[in-house]
Amino acid sequence: MSQDYSLGSVQTALTPQERFEEYLQSRGMRNTDQRRVLIERVFSSHDHFDADSLIEQLPRKGEDGYVSRPTVYRTLAEFVDAGLLRKFELDGRAVYEHDYGYPQHDHLYCTQCQKLIEFKSDELMQLREQVGRAHDFRVTGHRLIINGVCGDCRRQSRRPKRKQDLI
Amino acid sequence: MSQDYSLGSVQTALTPQERFEEYLQSRGMRNTDQRRVLIERVFSSHDHFDADSLIEQLPRKGEDGYVSRPTVYRTLAEFVDAGLLRKFELDGRAVYEHDYGYPQHDHLYCTQCQKLIEFKSDELMQLREQVGRAHDFRVTGHRLIINGVCGDCRRQSRRPKRKQDLI
DNA sequence: ATCATTGCAAAAGATTTGCAAGGTC
DNA sequence: GACCTTGCAAATCTTTTGCAATGAT
């Protein structure tokens, strides 16, 4: 039901479920089976995901616990609104990750295997404030993605080259 | 025909037009009226733009110099390939900016007026290498967008608050 | 003459919306 | 019972693609 916030988590009083309940009540919104199914699924593992991969993990149409595609999109937007998820764009599609109870970080993106690797940098936070000051700009957030090739992919492509492979 | 590369430009031997000619010839591709119209329009000012805003600036269907939408998309992809333009995503759509003869930089994005402000940071370049090394990752590029509110927008919203405005 | 390029129409992919039916408080 | 939420179907928005006609070398 709940999940582990290991790697660098932050002290949080409420579970995502509880936090979302609060959010709903404060807005006169209602909790439903679909919202419960989604928050359960979304917070049961700490992977990055997009709407499609989330839907793949959910019960199909006709099965118990099915949630329609529009409702998935609507609910993901609510999770972002509630501060539970963070959303960003990658190759033209929306990608989501845990926000609530999870520290600010950025990503390395392997253009070979599409893997996202998280990293934290305090210097970057300083840098963004400094740049903001220099441009009369009130900074509220940022998004940094460093592209390249991860170690695994580099090792895989470095297979011994025979004569036939050349040219 | 040509344009100024003022603000922090880099020494370049060829105009974008010439550079593109080279690119085309090296690939057995042909130059056409459409490609000439587009390169002329794209490099006549140094703004960021998306496909739609570019098309708005071009002659309409029936007029002289018209370029169809698919050709605009195809040609923008060629410009990116040729190293003339850089492409990135903003709010779900593709945005282009000059790359050829223009130095590496990043952006402040005003979430109020959608303005993009360029800035350069050598520290960021160092930081990205450092992070790469720490994660066994060969860095090939990055994209940083700092969000916030620009000075103009802050001043506009800071209108004098009278008693009635409060609460 | 050959083969790249264009414009058209249509497709595709991701996300959003109108609305009647159903569910929650 | 009031009204929020859902699922469906369809719309939207941006970008891409198949293909026959056109154009460049």
Side-chain angles (χ1 to χ4, degrees), chain B residues 30-31 52 69-70 73-74 94:
Chain B
R30 297 163 183 179
N31 210 346
D52 254 323
R69 182 169 284 270
Y73 277 102
R74 284 186 282 235

Short mmCIF file of all heavy atoms in Angstrom, two decimals, chain B residues 30-31 52 69-70 73-74 94, chain D residues 14-18 23-25:
data_model
loop_
_atom_site.label_atom_id
_atom_site.label_comp_id
_atom_site.label_asym_id
_atom_site.label_seq_id
_atom_site.Cartn_x
_atom_site.Cartn_y
_atom_site.Cartn_z
N ARG B 30 19.12 18.72 -53.30
CA ARG B 30 19.01 19.85 -54.23
C ARG B 30 18.50 21.09 -53.53
O ARG B 30 17.70 21.02 -52.60
CB ARG B 30 18.07 19.46 -55.37
CG ARG B 30 18.63 18.32 -56.18
CD ARG B 30 17.57 17.64 -57.03
NE ARG B 30 18.18 16.49 -57.72
CZ ARG B 30 17.52 15.67 -58.53
NH1 ARG B 30 16.25 15.88 -58.78
NH2 ARG B 30 18.15 14.67 -59.10
N ASN B 31 18.92 22.22 -53.99
CA ASN B 31 18.36 23.45 -53.44
C ASN B 31 17.11 23.83 -54.23
O ASN B 31 17.02 23.54 -55.42
CB ASN B 31 19.37 24.59 -53.46
CG ASN B 31 19.13 25.55 -52.31
OD1 ASN B 31 18.07 25.50 -51.67
ND2 ASN B 31 20.08 26.42 -52.04
N ASP B 52 4.59 27.20 -36.38
CA ASP B 52 3.43 28.04 -36.65
C ASP B 52 3.78 29.51 -36.85
O ASP B 52 3.31 30.16 -37.78
CB ASP B 52 2.41 27.93 -35.52
CG ASP B 52 1.22 27.09 -35.93
OD1 ASP B 52 0.82 27.19 -37.10
OD2 ASP B 52 0.72 26.33 -35.10
N ARG B 69 2.94 23.46 -45.35
CA ARG B 69 3.25 23.09 -43.96
C ARG B 69 4.17 21.87 -43.86
O ARG B 69 5.17 21.90 -43.13
CB ARG B 69 1.95 22.87 -43.20
CG ARG B 69 2.07 22.53 -41.74
CD ARG B 69 0.73 22.60 -41.05
NE ARG B 69 0.31 23.98 -40.83
CZ ARG B 69 0.61 24.67 -39.73
NH1 ARG B 69 1.33 24.10 -38.77
NH2 ARG B 69 0.22 25.89 -39.59
N PRO B 70 3.87 20.79 -44.57
CA PRO B 70 4.79 19.64 -44.48
C PRO B 70 6.21 20.01 -44.90
O PRO B 70 7.17 19.54 -44.29
CB PRO B 70 4.18 18.63 -45.46
CG PRO B 70 2.74 18.96 -45.48
CD PRO B 70 2.67 20.46 -45.37
N TYR B 73 8.00 21.77 -42.06
CA TYR B 73 8.48 20.83 -41.06
C TYR B 73 9.70 20.05 -41.57
O TYR B 73 10.69 19.87 -40.87
CB TYR B 73 7.37 19.84 -40.67
CG TYR B 73 6.43 20.41 -39.63
CD1 TYR B 73 5.18 20.90 -39.98
CD2 TYR B 73 6.80 20.45 -38.29
CE1 TYR B 73 4.32 21.42 -39.02
CE2 TYR B 73 5.95 20.97 -37.33
CZ TYR B 73 4.71 21.45 -37.71
OH TYR B 73 3.86 21.96 -36.76
N ARG B 74 9.60 19.58 -42.83
CA ARG B 74 10.71 18.81 -43.37
C ARG B 74 11.99 19.65 -43.43
O ARG B 74 13.08 19.17 -43.11
CB ARG B 74 10.35 18.30 -44.77
CG ARG B 74 9.39 17.12 -44.76
CD ARG B 74 9.15 16.53 -46.15
NE ARG B 74 8.22 17.32 -46.94
CZ ARG B 74 7.11 16.82 -47.51
NH1 ARG B 74 6.81 15.55 -47.37
NH2 ARG B 74 6.32 17.60 -48.22
N ALA B 94 7.58 22.27 -30.48
CA ALA B 94 9.00 22.43 -30.81
C ALA B 94 9.33 23.90 -31.03
O ALA B 94 8.60 24.61 -31.73
CB ALA B 94 9.32 21.63 -32.06
P DT D 14 -0.84 23.80 -32.01
OP1 DT D 14 -0.22 24.83 -31.16
OP2 DT D 14 -1.55 24.14 -33.25
"O5'" DT D 14 0.28 22.72 -32.37
"C5'" DT D 14 0.80 21.91 -31.32
"C4'" DT D 14 1.58 20.78 -31.90
"O4'" DT D 14 0.68 19.79 -32.44
"C3'" DT D 14 2.53 21.15 -33.04
"O3'" DT D 14 3.82 20.69 -32.70
"C2'" DT D 14 1.94 20.47 -34.27
"C1'" DT D 14 1.19 19.30 -33.66
N1 DT D 14 0.05 18.77 -34.44
C2 DT D 14 -0.07 17.39 -34.59
O2 DT D 14 0.71 16.61 -34.11
N3 DT D 14 -1.15 16.98 -35.31
C4 DT D 14 -2.10 17.78 -35.91
O4 DT D 14 -3.03 17.29 -36.55
C5 DT D 14 -1.93 19.22 -35.70
C7 DT D 14 -2.91 20.17 -36.31
C6 DT D 14 -0.87 19.63 -34.99
P DT D 15 5.07 21.00 -33.60
OP1 DT D 15 6.25 21.04 -32.73
OP2 DT D 15 4.78 22.12 -34.50
"O5'" DT D 15 5.17 19.65 -34.47
"C5'" DT D 15 5.22 18.41 -33.77
"C4'" DT D 15 5.07 17.27 -34.74
"O4'" DT D 15 3.73 17.24 -35.27
"C3'" DT D 15 6.01 17.30 -35.95
"O3'" DT D 15 6.84 16.14 -35.88
"C2'" DT D 15 5.08 17.31 -37.16
"C1'" DT D 15 3.80 16.71 -36.58
N1 DT D 15 2.55 17.06 -37.27
C2 DT D 15 1.74 16.04 -37.74
O2 DT D 15 2.02 14.86 -37.60
N3 DT D 15 0.60 16.44 -38.37
C4 DT D 15 0.18 17.74 -38.59
O4 DT D 15 -0.88 17.97 -39.18
C5 DT D 15 1.06 18.77 -38.07
C7 DT D 15 0.70 20.22 -38.24
C6 DT D 15 2.19 18.39 -37.44
P DT D 16 7.80 15.74 -37.04
OP1 DT D 16 8.94 15.03 -36.43
OP2 DT D 16 8.00 16.89 -37.93
"O5'" DT D 16 6.92 14.65 -37.82
"C5'" DT D 16 6.28 13.63 -37.08
"C4'" DT D 16 5.66 12.63 -38.04
"O4'" DT D 16 4.45 13.19 -38.61
"C3'" DT D 16 6.55 12.22 -39.22
"O3'" DT D 16 6.48 10.81 -39.33
"C2'" DT D 16 5.92 12.93 -40.41
"C1'" DT D 16 4.46 13.01 -40.02
N1 DT D 16 3.67 14.14 -40.57
C2 DT D 16 2.48 13.87 -41.20
O2 DT D 16 2.04 12.76 -41.35
N3 DT D 16 1.80 14.99 -41.64
C4 DT D 16 2.19 16.30 -41.52
O4 DT D 16 1.49 17.21 -41.96
C5 DT D 16 3.46 16.51 -40.85
C7 DT D 16 3.97 17.89 -40.68
C6 DT D 16 4.13 15.43 -40.41
P DT D 17 7.38 10.03 -40.39
OP1 DT D 17 7.87 8.83 -39.69
OP2 DT D 17 8.32 10.98 -41.01
"O5'" DT D 17 6.33 9.57 -41.50
"C5'" DT D 17 5.04 9.15 -41.09
"C4'" DT D 17 4.23 8.77 -42.32
"O4'" DT D 17 3.45 9.91 -42.76
"C3'" DT D 17 5.06 8.35 -43.54
"O3'" DT D 17 4.39 7.27 -44.17
"C2'" DT D 17 5.06 9.58 -44.42
"C1'" DT D 17 3.68 10.15 -44.12
N1 DT D 17 3.53 11.62 -44.32
C2 DT D 17 2.35 12.09 -44.83
O2 DT D 17 1.42 11.37 -45.15
N3 DT D 17 2.29 13.45 -44.95
C4 DT D 17 3.27 14.36 -44.63
O4 DT D 17 3.09 15.56 -44.79
C5 DT D 17 4.48 13.79 -44.11
C7 DT D 17 5.61 14.69 -43.73
C6 DT D 17 4.56 12.45 -43.98
P DG D 18 5.13 6.34 -45.27
OP1 DG D 18 5.31 5.01 -44.69
OP2 DG D 18 6.29 7.07 -45.82
"O5'" DG D 18 4.02 6.25 -46.43
"C5'" DG D 18 2.64 6.05 -46.08
"C4'" DG D 18 1.79 6.21 -47.33
"O4'" DG D 18 1.52 7.61 -47.56
"C3'" DG D 18 2.44 5.71 -48.61
"O3'" DG D 18 1.40 5.19 -49.44
"C2'" DG D 18 3.09 6.95 -49.19
"C1'" DG D 18 2.12 8.05 -48.76
N9 DG D 18 2.74 9.35 -48.48
C8 DG D 18 3.93 9.57 -47.84
N7 DG D 18 4.21 10.84 -47.70
C5 DG D 18 3.13 11.49 -48.28
C6 DG D 18 2.85 12.89 -48.43
O6 DG D 18 3.53 13.85 -48.05
N1 DG D 18 1.64 13.10 -49.09
C2 DG D 18 0.81 12.13 -49.54
N2 DG D 18 -0.30 12.52 -50.15
N3 DG D 18 1.04 10.82 -49.41
C4 DG D 18 2.22 10.59 -48.77
P DG D 23 6.99 22.65 -61.57
OP1 DG D 23 6.76 24.06 -61.17
OP2 DG D 23 6.95 22.24 -62.99
"O5'" DG D 23 8.39 22.19 -60.96
"C5'" DG D 23 8.62 22.26 -59.57
"C4'" DG D 23 10.08 21.99 -59.29
"O4'" DG D 23 10.35 20.58 -59.51
"C3'" DG D 23 11.04 22.75 -60.20
"O3'" DG D 23 12.18 23.08 -59.41
"C2'" DG D 23 11.37 21.74 -61.28
"C1'" DG D 23 11.36 20.43 -60.50
N9 DG D 23 11.01 19.24 -61.25
C8 DG D 23 10.01 19.10 -62.18
N7 DG D 23 9.91 17.89 -62.65
C5 DG D 23 10.90 17.17 -61.98
C6 DG D 23 11.28 15.82 -62.06
O6 DG D 23 10.79 14.93 -62.77
N1 DG D 23 12.34 15.52 -61.23
C2 DG D 23 12.95 16.42 -60.39
N2 DG D 23 13.96 15.96 -59.65
N3 DG D 23 12.61 17.70 -60.29
C4 DG D 23 11.58 18.00 -61.12
P DA D 24 13.30 24.01 -59.96
OP1 DA D 24 13.45 25.16 -59.04
OP2 DA D 24 13.12 24.22 -61.41
"O5'" DA D 24 14.55 23.05 -59.75
"C5'" DA D 24 14.84 22.58 -58.45
"C4'" DA D 24 16.07 21.71 -58.48
"O4'" DA D 24 15.76 20.47 -59.17
"C3'" DA D 24 17.27 22.31 -59.22
"O3'" DA D 24 18.45 21.94 -58.53
"C2'" DA D 24 17.21 21.68 -60.60
"C1'" DA D 24 16.59 20.31 -60.31
N9 DA D 24 15.71 19.80 -61.37
C8 DA D 24 14.74 20.47 -62.04
N7 DA D 24 14.08 19.73 -62.91
C5 DA D 24 14.67 18.49 -62.78
C6 DA D 24 14.43 17.25 -63.42
N6 DA D 24 13.47 17.07 -64.35
N1 DA D 24 15.19 16.20 -63.08
C2 DA D 24 16.14 16.37 -62.16
N3 DA D 24 16.45 17.48 -61.48
C4 DA D 24 15.68 18.51 -61.84
P DT D 25 19.86 22.58 -58.97
OP1 DT D 25 20.61 22.79 -57.72
OP2 DT D 25 19.62 23.67 -59.92
"O5'" DT D 25 20.53 21.36 -59.75
"C5'" DT D 25 20.85 20.16 -59.04
"C4'" DT D 25 21.44 19.16 -60.01
"O4'" DT D 25 20.40 18.65 -60.89
"C3'" DT D 25 22.53 19.72 -60.91
"O3'" DT D 25 23.61 18.79 -61.00
"C2'" DT D 25 21.87 19.84 -62.26
"C1'" DT D 25 20.87 18.70 -62.22
N1 DT D 25 19.68 18.85 -63.10
C2 DT D 25 19.14 17.71 -63.68
O2 DT D 25 19.59 16.60 -63.47
N3 DT D 25 18.06 17.94 -64.48
C4 DT D 25 17.47 19.17 -64.76
O4 DT D 25 16.51 19.25 -65.50
C5 DT D 25 18.09 20.31 -64.13
C7 DT D 25 17.55 21.68 -64.38
C6 DT D 25 19.16 20.11 -63.34
#
